[in-house]
Amino acid sequence: MAGSKLTIEDVARAAGVSRSTVSRVMNGVPGATEAVRQHVKDVIAELGYVPDQTARALASRQQPAIDVVVASPAPTVGWIGSHPYYSRVLAGIMAVLAGRDVQLRIHSVAAAEDADAIDAIARRVSVGLVLADGSPALASRLHRQCRRVVSLVATAPSVPAVEADNADGAYAAVQYLYQLGRRRIAAIHGADDTCGTSRRAGYVRAVAELGLPDLSTGGAFRREVGLSAARDLLDRHPDIDAMFVACDLTAAGAVQAITATGRRVPQDVSVVGFDDSIAAVCANPPLSTMRMPVEDMAAAAVRLLLDGPVPAGYRQRFPVELIVRESTAPG
């Protein structure tokens, strides 16, 4: 008998400890010495024990659930429903949970410093937790309190992550604009989180290799930020002929700013966004963008959690794909 056929009682007998001690070690709960913890972990590895997360939740009288944590930029949570990224995360998770007796719970956390809220969420986790976004500090705290965590963005090295290839996606976007004959390629970056930082790095690498000036400004993943940032860029650099914008929502705002100055998209200024969300399809004109497979990423994260423990430092990277629409044309 091995692997998932084993029970926690089998592990306890093999390790010569109580069932509660094995449970503490598996859940990262205090109450066992480091030597005992290591011994139990060694026995688990030797036996090839894979716990059934749903069964564990039912045994502890918890309703089995997948928890989703988002890092909130505002004191209210209404913005979650209006941002295309989060609806795509939920769609990917729900596709995997369909037909399973597993709930979906959504939590909004203001910052990594909100320790009480983070710890309370971690204590209630049953099947596992998907971190939709957030800082390395937030991810690290959740992972310390609960090992059953998978992030959808790159965070601290120890936190398992299913992530998009953000840097190479931004690099490819700039290369595409250059191939169209654009030579004054500006950028509106995202926030100073891991996604925004990676996309900024891809843009910077591309313009450096192509010998182009860095015409960029900071930003955030919101439409109104794209509107104001694009206005500022056009005021400072009126000869801009293309923009790479690190989020479709932000890019939709940038298109509004460009057309408000009398310039035409794509003839005068071509625009490439990032994500391939509903915002790209509904923009006027529809946006060329780098498609991030958010639904597939969220589904992969949930499958990992349902299958059992996810090793610390686990990484699965998803490529992004250029989707060409009407916001780009040869210059």
Side-chain angles (χ1 to χ4, degrees), residues 198-320:
S198 296
R199 294 173 194 178
R200 180 185 294 111
Y203 167 83
V204 170
R205 175 163 62 95
V207 295
E209 288 184 9
L210 295 170
L212 303 179
D214 183 343
L215 309 175
S216 61
T217 186
F221 296 149
R222 299 198 302 275
R223 184 200 61 81
E224 62 272 20
V225 172
L227 184 66
S228 60
R231 283 173 178 163
D232 176 64
L233 281 169
L234 291 167
D235 284 344
R236 291 190 286 120
H237 308 287
D239 58 346
I240 284 172
D241 61 7
M243 286 190 188
F244 164 66
V245 188
C247 169
D248 290 339
L249 268 182
T250 315
V255 169
Q256 288 180 300
I258 293 166
T259 56
T261 67
R263 294 172 173 88
R264 299 166 301 165
V265 176
Q267 294 89 341
D268 300 319
V269 182
S270 282
V271 179
V272 175
F274 205 112
D275 291 334
D276 195 27
S277 66
I278 189 66
V281 179
C282 294
N284 186 22
L287 290 169
S288 294
T289 186
M290 304 305 300
R291 174 170 175 76
M292 185 168 71
V294 177
E295 295 88 348
D296 294 341
M297 292 164 56
V302 173
R303 290 191 187 100
L304 284 169
L305 293 167
L306 291 170
D307 287 346
V310 185
Y314 175 90
R315 288 291 184 275
Q316 183 176 355
R317 180 167 291 183
F318 282 73
V320 300

Side-chain angles (χ1 to χ4, degrees), residues 72-258:
S72 172
T76 61
V77 296
W79 60 272
I80 296 175
S82 63
H83 198 296
Y85 170 73
Y86 300 105
S87 63
R88 294 179 67 193
V89 169
L90 297 180
I93 293 173
M94 292 169 67
V96 177
L97 297 185
R100 296 176 182 264
D101 186 22
V102 179
Q103 289 185 333
L104 175 62
R105 297 189 298 227
I106 304 171
H107 312 270
S108 176
V109 178
E113 291 74 23
D114 193 358
D116 290 342
I118 293 170
D119 294 349
I121 293 168
R123 284 194 297 269
R124 293 186 60 209
V125 170
S126 57
V127 178
L129 184 151
V130 176
L131 180 61
D133 59 4
S135 67
L138 170 60
S140 294
R141 185 170 188 93
L142 279 169
H143 194 239
R144 284 196 302 270
Q145 302 297 323
C146 173
R147 295 296 180 181
R148 299 184 300 282
V149 175
V150 177
S151 174
L152 297 184
V153 295
T155 56
S158 63
V159 181
V162 173
E163 58 183 304
D165 195 348
N166 288 290
D168 282 354
Y171 178 89
V174 177
Q175 290 281 351
Y176 167 65
L177 290 167
Y178 185 85
Q179 290 165 9
L180 292 176
R182 308 292 171 162
R183 296 296 182 265
R184 301 284 290 174
I185 304 172
I188 301 175
H189 300 303
D192 289 329
D193 57 16
T194 51
C195 287
T197 300
S198 296
R199 294 173 194 178
R200 180 185 294 111
Y203 167 83
V204 170
R205 175 163 62 95
V207 295
E209 288 184 9
L210 295 170
L212 303 179
D214 183 343
L215 309 175
S216 61
T217 186
F221 296 149
R222 299 198 302 275
R223 184 200 61 81
E224 62 272 20
V225 172
L227 184 66
S228 60
R231 283 173 178 163
D232 176 64
L233 281 169
L234 291 167
D235 284 344
R236 291 190 286 120
H237 308 287
D239 58 346
I240 284 172
D241 61 7
M243 286 190 188
F244 164 66
V245 188
C247 169
D248 290 339
L249 268 182
T250 315
V255 169
Q256 288 180 300
I258 293 166

